[in-house]
Amino acid sequence: MADKIKVWCFLLFLLMLVSNLQNCAHAAPQVPCFFIFGDSLADSGNSNNLVTAAKANYRPYGIDFPNGTTGRFTNGRTVVDIIGELLGFNQFIPPFATARGRDILVGVNYASGAAGIRDETGRQLGDRISLNEQLQNHAATFNRSIQLLGTKQAAENYLNKCLYYVSLGSNDYLNNYFMPSNYTTSRLYTPDQYAKVLIDQYSQQIKLLYHLGARKIALPGLGPMGSLPYASSTLCPNNLSCVTDINNAVLPFNAGLVSLVDQLNRELNDARFIYLNSTGILSSADPSVLGFRVTNVGCCPARSDGQCIQDTCQNRTEYAFWDAIHPTEALNQFTARRSYNAILPSDAYPTDISHLIS
């Protein structure tokens, strides 16, 4: 056990060192812009003015964020905030809801709480901006880029150099497939069938993004959902076999996403696609080695839908989860750095973000 801890401490030190050296080596951002598509794991304020329970524009969300409460579903920075910093951006990528003028030339964050690959996903929580709608918003950004840069060719040449991060699917399970009282998908499809339906739709959506100029696209897989405090408290109270079933149900989606990355790299050979192994990254380290003392409950007491009520813990860096669903900034840092600079070969496929953009 002692040897294992020493190995992980060394790997973490090495990761931090490489990231810091790369940041020093790049005075300007490594890509001209960074576009983000996703759900509450990446939302930075797009859901604030929607009629929905899936919003985080109240305390204690943002308690450790430099700008305070912004609509991020954590105590501080999200994974994409930290990736943006690793890319060399000196400002956070603006949400679509507030991006104006030339702001869009550094990128746009389209993510929205409760969003899914499927349009109906998350509807029981209220309004949300599905991936299809996020792509419509990016089409508007594409047209605005043409106006700003002068010609369609100039806009395409510029956007081809940017990084695109597309991370959806969690809500298609948590707020769809695993809610049989609200949705019929678990009765219509086996887990394998449902994963195929999702991947087939995702494929078409990502190809549309390609036609809107994307050439460097990172596709994170789904994390181990059975490990969420929400799973043990709400979806599977006192039922360990149910937790295992949840984790197993998501595996075909991740396997399908790896196959999709291979397919897209073959078919669209002037673009590059990578898979980020969220489950592998989060499962590869002993939480105690990373400084986490609490992994089974969130730092703040949560509502029935998994979000914070108005209280929070004081020792936030010792918690893996902020509420019952979303990670703390401390865990987000670990995920972001391993996505940007893979420590293990299994972290990313066929390469990590730092090599995708090189």
Side-chain angles (χ1 to χ4, degrees):
M1 180 62 183
D3 289 341
K4 181 180 179 182
I5 290 175
K6 289 179 182 177
V7 169
W8 274 112
C9 287
F10 173 74
L11 288 175
L12 288 171
F13 169 77
L14 184 62
L15 180 59
M16 295 285 288
L17 178 63
V18 171
S19 295
N20 289 335
L21 287 174
Q22 286 191 328
N23 281 342
C24 293
H26 297 274
Q30 299 161 55
V31 289
C33 44
F34 181 24
F35 291 99
I36 300 152
F37 302 79
D39 50 33
S40 56
L41 293 172
D43 192 347
S44 59
N46 288 310
S47 299
N48 287 354
N49 295 321
L50 300 182
V51 181
T52 178
K55 63 174 70 176
N57 59 342
Y58 64 92
R59 299 282 273 185
Y61 290 101
I63 192 170
D64 298 313
F65 190 70
N67 302 330
T69 301
T70 59
R72 287 166 169 81
F73 287 72
T74 185
N75 60 307
R77 294 168 297 165
T78 63
V79 166
V80 292
D81 287 331
I82 298 162
I83 289 174
E85 291 175 346
L86 293 170
L87 291 169
F89 289 97
N90 60 10
Q91 63 187 59
F92 296 111
I93 302 302
F96 180 78
T98 60
R100 298 290 181 270
R102 298 185 71 85
D103 289 350
I104 66 171
L105 295 181
V106 300
V108 179
N109 185 334
Y110 303 99
S112 173
I117 295 168
R118 295 172 66 93
D119 289 339
E120 84 275 9
T121 288
R123 69 186 173 200
Q124 86 283 357
L125 293 170
D127 296 338
R128 66 268 169 233
I129 307 168
S130 68
L131 179 54
N132 282 330
E133 293 172 298
Q134 292 179 37
L135 289 168
Q136 290 173 18
N137 290 339
H138 186 61
T141 297
F142 181 82
N143 290 330
R144 288 164 62 190
S145 299
I146 295 173
Q147 294 172 358
L148 290 170
L149 297 173
T151 66
K152 182 179 179 182
Q153 187 62 55
E156 288 178 344
N157 290 343
Y158 184 81
L159 295 173
N160 286 174
K161 301 171 186 175
C162 304
L163 174 64
Y164 297 77
Y165 182 98
V166 188
S167 180
L168 289 103
S170 295
N171 285 308
D172 294 290
Y173 287 90
L174 290 176
N175 286 301
N176 192 321
Y177 195 72
F178 296 149
M179 284 193 163
S181 60
N182 296 91
Y183 301 92
T184 61
T185 46
S186 61
R187 295 190 291 277
L188 293 174
Y189 306 111
T190 66
D192 285 341
Q193 291 169 338
Y194 188 58
K196 184 178 186 307
V197 167
L198 289 178
I199 292 294
D200 286 347
Q201 183 170 348
Y202 212 19
S203 172
Q204 297 307 310
Q205 293 163 326
I206 294 164
K207 288 177 181 178
L208 174 57
L209 185 58
Y210 168 86
H211 290 298
L212 291 170
R215 292 297 182 273
K216 300 175 181 180
I217 305 176
L219 300 169
L222 304 183
M225 293 187 185
S227 299
L228 299 175
Y230 179 75
S232 56
S233 66
T234 302
L235 296 178
C236 303
N238 303 315
N239 189 338
L240 291 178
S241 64
C242 170
V243 169
T244 300
D245 289 343
I246 286 177
N247 282 333
N248 289 339
V250 174
L251 293 178
F253 178 88
N254 287 340
L257 193 53
V258 173
S259 297
L260 178 60
V261 163
D262 281 334
Q263 176 190 330
L264 292 171
N265 280 323
R266 286 195 306 270
E267 294 179 1
L268 307 174
N269 55 25
D270 63 334
R272 297 176 68 194
F273 301 82
I274 66 168
Y275 168 77
L276 301 174
N277 185 7
S278 301
T279 291
I281 290 171
L282 293 172
S283 302
S284 63
D286 183 337
S288 64
V289 175
L290 302 178
F292 299 120
R293 296 179 181 274
V294 185
T295 60
N296 61 335
V297 296
C299 177
C300 67
R303 307 183 312 217
S304 60
D305 63 2
Q307 288 192 221
C308 286
I309 55 177
Q310 299 295 328
D311 298 305
T312 182
C313 66
Q314 297 300 313
N315 50 337
R316 295 185 282 276
T317 59
E318 296 181 357
Y319 278 72
F321 291 96
W322 174 239
D323 55 21
I325 297 174
H326 306 97
T328 55
E329 181 186 276
L331 186 54
N332 285 337
Q333 286 195 55
F334 178 72
T335 303
R337 291 181 183 279
R338 290 275 292 270
S339 298
Y340 180 80
N341 258 319
I343 287 294
L344 300 177
S346 58
D347 287 350
Y349 173 83
T351 188
D352 57 24
I353 290 176
S354 69
H355 290 87
L356 170 67
I357 61 175
S358 62

